[in-house]
Amino acid sequence: MKKDIKKVLDKVSSGDASPEEETMARLWLHQLQQNDEAGLSAAELNELSNEMWASLEKNRKQSSPRTGKLWPYISAAASLVLVAGLALFFYNYQSSNPLKAPQQYSNDVPAGSNKAYLTLTNGKKILLTTAANGMLAEEGGIKITKTSDGQLVYTIADEGKKTSGKYNSIETPIGGQYELQLPDGTRVWLNAASSLKYPASFYALKQRSVELIGEAYFEVAKDKTKPFVVKSKGQDVEVLGTHFNVNAYPDEQSIKTTLIEGSVKLNGQLTLKPGEQSVLNDGKFNVKEVNAIDAADWKNGEFVFTNEPLTSILKKVSRWYGVEIVYTNDLIKTPTFSGSVSRSENISSVLNMLEETSNIRFSIAGKQIQVTIK
């Protein structure tokens, strides 16, 4: 059994695994985080999981991106750690729980893509998806360009004096995302069904203030003389130069702010440290330690779930794939899931992952996903 596990994980690591082997690896790793039947304590399971993720992230940074693999770069060391701790458990598990074949759906839904609308200060609206690469507009010393990789870039000429106090906005539809570079050099990744309003120029402004609805990841350019402020419903995030993620969708009960590096101040009263996430609910902040990289999974082209409720996962699925979620019966208890899958995959890949180790079943009817609890 140890040999089989290592063989499959090595094939996943090298990118040579078949769809069936990827499904098997996905089940193993999912069960690692949700079961203690291997005879390991919660602390030991957590340590194994952390080692796996640390190795995964290290190899991701050292390797060029690849799509279509659930666990693209698991190192040999991580594979051996998993084998040592899980061989006995998976032997018992598979004996009593044969691996279910992925469900075949009569139709499928493709993943979202780079789609957005840019609204200029004069009210003109540009569909960035179909706009040609090159300069899109020039407003009072600000050149707006679409690069060959689909990024929106603002370039300042003559300090952009004439556009101070005027605003642009960018909006992504359901099933869309987009990256842009603001006039100060700040990079922003906008998730699906989100919008960002920002000055066409920060010249002569005392602070660099933007307004967010939805979710965005920020890499803020340093400027000690002008703080960068992200305003969302009930929250102001103030920074000088840092990396962080803000999830502020209107249909979510709370606003989540996760700090990757640097520091941020929330509503002038709370300062976050790297690896911390604040949850604002009913005007009150709750701070906890998290794997901060997971909060930016969408930016890196993945769905990453860590003990996440089904309802929360399906909201993300709905926004990215542009589907309606319909529950055919009541959720007496909302199950939680841990795992990862590429956002470039069709929706069936996500649904199969959720079905593998639960009593949840899905059916696809056009753009509607029906959820049934067996």
Side-chain angles (χ1 to χ4, degrees):
M1 184 61 190
K2 290 183 180 181
K3 182 178 179 181
D4 291 342
I5 294 175
K6 185 179 185 303
K7 182 179 179 181
V8 171
L9 291 176
D10 283 345
K11 291 180 74 175
V12 173
S13 176
S14 65
D16 297 325
S18 67
E20 292 77 15
E21 288 167 331
E22 288 185 9
T23 297
M24 187 180 296
R26 195 160 60 220
L27 174 62
W28 289 342
L29 297 175
H30 181 78
Q31 289 294 336
L32 165 65
Q33 299 187 51
Q34 297 219 14
N35 295 274
D36 61 0
E37 298 178 44
L40 302 177
S41 67
E44 288 170 326
L45 283 169
N46 186 59
E47 182 179 355
L48 283 175
S49 182
N50 287 341
E51 286 187 35
M52 177 190 71
W53 277 108
S55 176
L56 179 64
E57 293 301 329
K58 179 181 178 182
N59 280 278
R60 280 179 180 154
K61 292 176 182 178
Q62 292 175 349
S63 307
S64 57
R66 297 175 62 182
T67 59
K69 303 297 180 185
L70 184 64
W71 303 95
Y73 302 109
I74 303 176
S75 70
S79 299
L80 291 172
V81 170
L82 285 167
V83 170
L86 298 178
L88 178 60
F89 166 66
F90 287 122
Y91 176 79
N92 294 330
Y93 180 86
Q94 286 191 306
S95 296
S96 58
N97 298 277
L99 186 65
K100 297 192 293 290
Q103 180 174 329
Q104 299 298 315
Y105 298 97
S106 58
N107 63 301
D108 212 338
V109 179
S113 58
N114 285 345
K115 290 181 282 192
Y117 297 90
L118 170 67
T119 302
L120 302 174
T121 58
N122 61 7
K124 181 181 178 181
K125 201 166 189 176
I126 300 174
L127 176 58
L128 297 174
T129 314
T130 57
N133 297 336
M135 192 167 73
L136 301 178
E138 184 171 3
E139 296 184 313
I142 298 293
K143 292 182 179 180
I144 307 171
T145 305
K146 179 184 175 183
T147 64
S148 58
D149 60 356
Q151 182 183 169
L152 192 66
V153 176
Y154 282 70
T155 305
I156 300 175
D158 192 29
E159 296 298 331
K161 296 178 182 179
K162 297 179 182 179
T163 56
S164 292
K166 296 183 179 181
Y167 287 81
N168 286 177
S169 65
I170 184 170
E171 177 182 357
T172 55
I174 290 174
Q177 63 180 16
Y178 217 81
E179 179 185 352
L180 68 152
Q181 181 175 301
L182 298 178
D184 65 334
T186 291
R187 297 176 69 189
V188 183
W189 287 259
L190 205 61
N191 204 351
S194 302
S195 65
L196 187 74
K197 182 180 179 181
Y198 49 93
S201 170
F202 293 113
Y203 182 83
L205 299 178
K206 293 183 179 180
Q207 65 179 21
R208 299 170 287 166
S209 180
V210 302
E211 299 175 21
L212 171 69
I213 297 174
E215 184 169 24
Y217 180 90
F218 295 85
E219 291 186 356
V220 178
K222 289 181 170 58
D223 185 344
K224 295 182 179 180
T225 65
K226 292 182 180 179
F228 191 95
V229 179
V230 179
K231 296 179 178 292
S232 52
K233 185 179 179 181
Q235 177 178 278
D236 287 357
V237 182
E238 181 179 335
V239 305
L240 294 178
T242 187
H243 298 183
F244 62 100
N245 190 84
V246 178
N247 184 318
Y249 282 107
D251 61 348
E252 298 285 0
Q253 292 183 341
S254 59
I255 297 177
K256 296 179 180 178
T257 304
T258 310
L259 183 62
I260 285 77
E261 66 176 60
S263 67
V264 299
K265 184 175 289 186
L266 306 178
N267 289 359
Q269 56 179 289
L270 174 66
T271 300
L272 288 185
K273 297 182 295 185
E276 290 185 337
Q277 180 183 84
S278 74
V279 180
L280 177 61
N281 198 351
D282 293 330
K284 297 181 179 179
F285 285 105
N286 178 45
V287 178
K288 59 183 178 180
E289 291 187 358
V290 297
N291 185 339
I293 298 299
D294 287 358
D297 59 349
W298 62 271
K299 166 187 169 287
N300 298 322
E302 289 186 292
F303 288 110
V304 177
F305 313 124
T306 304
N307 293 324
E308 187 166 347
L310 175 68
T311 50
S312 174
I313 292 173
L314 292 183
K315 280 185 179 180
K316 296 178 179 179
V317 169
S318 175
R319 295 184 193 115
W320 184 234
Y321 291 95
V323 295
E324 178 188 8
I325 305 297
V326 176
Y327 295 90
T328 60
N329 50 8
D330 293 334
L331 283 175
I332 299 175
K333 182 180 179 181
T334 303
T336 60
F337 296 84
S338 296
S340 173
V341 64
S342 170
R343 281 182 24 131
S344 65
E345 299 282 355
N346 286 352
I347 198 171
S348 58
S349 294
V350 182
L351 302 185
N352 279 323
M353 185 191 75
L354 298 174
E355 284 190 343
E356 281 164 8
T357 55
S358 72
N359 60 347
I360 309 295
R361 297 296 175 266
F362 301 96
S363 61
I364 305 175
K367 284 286 190 174
Q368 186 180 89
I369 307 299
Q370 295 184 342
V371 187
T372 302
I373 314 297
K374 296 290 187 179

